[in-house]
Amino acid sequence: MRILIVEDERALCDAIARSLRNLAYSVDCCHDGQEALDLLSVEAFDLVVLDLNLPRIDGMTVLRELRKTDCETKVLILSARGEVSDKVAGLDAGANDYLTKPFHLDELAARIRSLTLRRFTQSDIVLTCGKLRFDTKARIASVDSEALSLTRKETGILEYLMLNQGRPVSQEELIEHVWDSSVNSFSNATRVHISSLRKKLRSALGYDPIRNRIGEGYVMEDGE
């Protein structure tokens, strides 16, 4: 995955770049807003780590200009501006995440991992697992063209498991990506919704495509 770091504090920029390269990311750096826009106009990046207080063109302007033509590249704002109003403005302008300075490099890496898990867009993608289909735009799951009656939470769980087919997904990861902060990892809510979803899938398919790997999590797999 390719990351662009836009940060005018060169020592900090170098530290972030070194840390991410150690995690096997491909990293490019620039130090002002105009240079960032120039790079973004000719190069493709999976994610941009964007400071707001930049020379020449500020980070918010960079973000707004990027979003005029590109709604898919992930943007993580990295800024000393920590007021709620600043965070709201950044997210409303199109940022996918907002991390305030000072921060720990491990937290930055974790947020980048979280953003890269959301690598699929919602436009005209139909996910499949055997006879099971999920239309991410219409938000409808079906088997042999028959729509399944799923709750919103069941739909969210199914989509996330289908996006990550073949890989164990822990309960904590499901909570992070499907639930809001009101649910914790000790809640029984996830098990209740997953149990209900599995019953519906078993009824429609004749088998349960969700496997429970003890100590690892839930895995979506094709086949009985």
Side-chain angles (χ1 to χ4, degrees):
M1 189 181 75
R2 191 177 181 194
I3 298 174
L4 175 64
I5 302 172
V6 189
E7 170 61 64
D8 66 326
E9 296 181 40
R10 291 177 183 264
L12 176 59
C13 187
D14 290 345
I16 295 171
R18 185 165 52 250
S19 174
L20 295 179
R21 286 171 183 144
N22 286 339
L23 296 173
Y25 292 113
S26 175
V27 181
D28 294 88
C29 298
C30 64
H31 308 292
D32 67 67
Q34 184 60 61
E35 186 181 2
L37 286 177
D38 291 343
L39 275 172
L40 289 165
S41 68
V42 296
E43 300 285 349
F45 295 94
D46 298 293
L47 184 142
V48 180
V49 177
L50 179 66
D51 186 23
L52 294 183
N53 296 321
L54 296 170
R56 301 175 69 189
I57 298 177
D58 68 90
M60 286 295 289
T61 301
V62 171
L63 177 58
R64 292 191 183 101
E65 288 299 313
L66 174 66
R67 286 299 184 237
K68 287 180 181 179
T69 58
D70 182 351
C71 293
E72 294 187 13
T73 300
K74 305 297 184 184
V75 176
L76 189 157
I77 290 177
L78 196 62
S79 176
R81 303 178 193 173
E83 296 296 325
V84 171
S85 58
D86 295 317
K87 296 178 182 179
V88 170
L91 295 170
D92 282 348
N96 302 95
D97 201 354
Y98 195 114
L99 181 60
T100 55
K101 300 176 183 177
F103 62 94
H104 197 286
L105 289 171
D106 286 345
E107 181 179 3
L108 175 61
R111 288 175 182 254
I112 288 173
R113 284 195 301 273
S114 178
L115 286 175
T116 57
L117 286 173
R118 308 168 203 168
R119 61 192 177 277
F120 295 92
T121 62
Q122 296 297 309
S123 56
D124 301 320
I125 292 179
V126 176
L127 306 173
T128 61
C129 181
K131 294 182 179 180
L132 178 64
R133 294 167 59 86
F134 181 75
D135 186 324
T136 62
K137 187 174 183 180
R139 315 296 297 159
I140 294 174
S142 62
V143 174
D144 292 331
S145 300
E146 290 291 326
L148 304 182
S149 178
L150 303 180
T151 66
R152 282 185 294 179
K153 281 293 184 288
E154 290 166 357
T155 298
I157 293 169
L158 178 63
E159 178 183 30
Y160 194 75
L161 290 177
M162 291 186 75
L163 284 171
N164 293 277
Q165 286 182 57
R167 181 180 73 82
V169 176
S170 68
Q171 178 174 301
E172 291 77 12
E173 186 176 334
L174 276 175
I175 288 173
E176 179 182 353
H177 292 278
V178 180
W179 269 265
D180 58 30
S181 59
S182 64
V183 175
N184 61 56
S185 59
F186 299 102
S187 171
N188 195 45
T190 52
R191 296 185 184 91
V192 171
H193 287 289
I194 290 172
S195 176
S196 176
L197 172 62
R198 294 176 77 170
K199 288 178 182 177
K200 293 177 181 180
L201 293 178
R202 190 181 298 113
S203 176
L205 292 166
Y207 66 94
D208 184 1
I210 301 175
R211 315 297 188 193
N212 187 5
R213 292 188 186 174
I214 297 175
E216 295 184 90
Y218 301 98
V219 184
M220 174 73 73
E221 295 177 331
D222 179 21
E224 301 184 26

